[in-house]
């Protein structure tokens, strides 16, 4: 449905923004698990705020997708046009 698609789009933007923000603010080798925990916490709070139901598996998929997109941009040297 249109509402479901809109919530998914909002959630995707929230996840991508969180991944980028924590990637920039928490730097260093071996910090990936800490960044992921912070992204997860941030996104879960946003889901509560916007009444978006999500489970841990769905969230993990969205986080991994956002990280892959960001890494692709780094390799290509340009923004990902998805």
């Amino acid at each position: 449905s249109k509402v479901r698609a809109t919530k998914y789009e909002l959630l995707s933007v929230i996840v991508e923004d969180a991944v980028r923000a924590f990637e920039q603010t928490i730097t260093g080798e071996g910090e990936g698990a800490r960044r992921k925990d912070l992204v997860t916490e941030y996104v879960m709070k946003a889901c509560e705020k916007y009444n978006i139901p999500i489970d841990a598996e769905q969230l993990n998929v969205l986080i991994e997708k956002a990280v892959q997109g960001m890494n692709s941009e780094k390799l290509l040297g340009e923004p990902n046009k998805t």
Side-chain angles (χ1 to χ4, degrees), residues 46-61:
C47 285
E48 287 179 27
K49 178 179 178 180
Y50 294 109
N51 196 27
I52 301 172
I54 189 166
D55 63 32
E57 185 178 340
Q58 292 170 322
L59 179 54
N60 188 53
V61 169

Side-chain angles (χ1 to χ4, degrees), residues 34-35 38 54:
R34 181 172 172 228
R35 281 191 295 265
L38 291 168
I54 189 166

Side-chain angles (χ1 to χ4, degrees), residues 35-52:
R35 281 191 295 265
K36 186 172 183 180
D37 288 346
L38 291 168
V39 168
T40 299
E41 182 180 337
Y42 176 85
V43 173
M44 292 303 285
K45 285 180 182 177
C47 285
E48 287 179 27
K49 178 179 178 180
Y50 294 109
N51 196 27
I52 301 172

Side-chain angles (χ1 to χ4, degrees), residues 20-40:
R20 289 178 191 281
F22 286 113
E23 178 72 20
Q24 290 179 358
T25 58
I26 300 173
T27 59
E29 292 297 316
E31 293 290 342
R34 181 172 172 228
R35 281 191 295 265
K36 186 172 183 180
D37 288 346
L38 291 168
V39 168
T40 299

